[in-house]
Every structure is written in C-alpha cells, then in structure tokens.
Amino acid sequence: MMSEKKWNSIFVGIVVVGVLLLSNPARADFYFVGDEAGWKFNVAGWENGKTFKELDTLIFKYKAGSHNVVLVDKASYDSCTVPPNATTYSSGNDEITIGSGPNYFICGFPRHCGFGMKIVANAS
C-alpha cells in the first residue's frame, strides 16, 4: 500500500499540473501589418488602437523587390531616412518580433515612407 505521504505528493503534483494547464500565461500575438492589404502605401495608422506586447510578431507581406522593411529610430522615422547599418528586411514575408517600447518601421525605397509606408508599434 502507498503511504499517506506518497499520496499527498501525488495529489500536490496533480494540482500543480492542473493549475498550470488552466492558467493563461501571457502569449505573444501575431499581427499582419496592413491586414489583408499588407505592407503598402498609406498603411500608416494601421497600428492605431492595437495593443502590442513585447515579443509579439509583426508580419510584413509585400512583393519582394518592390518594397522592404527597415527598423529605424524615431528621428529616422520622422524624417523618412534610412540610417547607415539599419536592419533591413526584404523577403516579402518578414516576421519581426518586437521589443518593449516604440518599434519604428519604414519602407526604405525612395519616397515610399513619405507615401505612408511607415508604422510605429508601441509595445508594453
């Protein structure tokens, strides 16, 4: 026969597993930038009203060779300029995990940012 101490250990283990299964840990979400339209002109503002979290993933879909996605700082975002050594994505299906705070993205092709190909995802 099993001792009472062993039964108590098994019971505690089952309770712990149950609590872990029923808890809703913070999960990262996926967002398709621009929704069905994708990463294109006039996408600026798409991010308004969305609640991003650190480690969420933004998916930028566009025709490779026609656009790109450049991770920039606020000054570069505001001026639509690509700084030297900026991280640039160009696959047409870029999945980018965001960090806490503001995450600034522009299209680095000439004049595209000025035509509204830019977003800022502010993650908590």
Side-chain angles (χ1 to χ4, degrees), residues 11-102:
F11 177 75
V12 169
I14 291 171
V15 169
V16 168
V17 169
V19 168
L20 290 173
L21 290 174
L22 294 175
S23 68
N24 188 11
R27 291 182 298 204
D29 291 319
F30 292 84
Y31 293 89
F32 287 90
V33 176
D35 299 320
E36 297 82 29
W39 180 237
K40 65 179 195 91
F41 297 135
N42 299 315
V43 74
W46 162 86
E47 69 277 24
N48 295 340
K50 293 178 177 56
T51 304
F52 300 106
K53 299 178 305 299
E54 181 178 18
L55 302 180
D56 280 351
T57 299
L58 301 181
I59 302 169
F60 293 81
K61 291 205 168 270
Y62 56 93
K63 183 179 176 189
S66 297
H67 303 294
N68 64 15
V69 180
V70 184
L71 178 61
V72 296
D73 59 17
K74 182 175 182 357
S76 299
Y77 177 85
D78 290 341
S79 65
C80 286
T81 56
V82 177
N85 301 318
T87 301
T88 302
Y89 303 87
S90 58
S91 73
N93 188 32
D94 307 316
E95 296 186 15
I96 303 170
T97 302
I98 59 175
S100 183

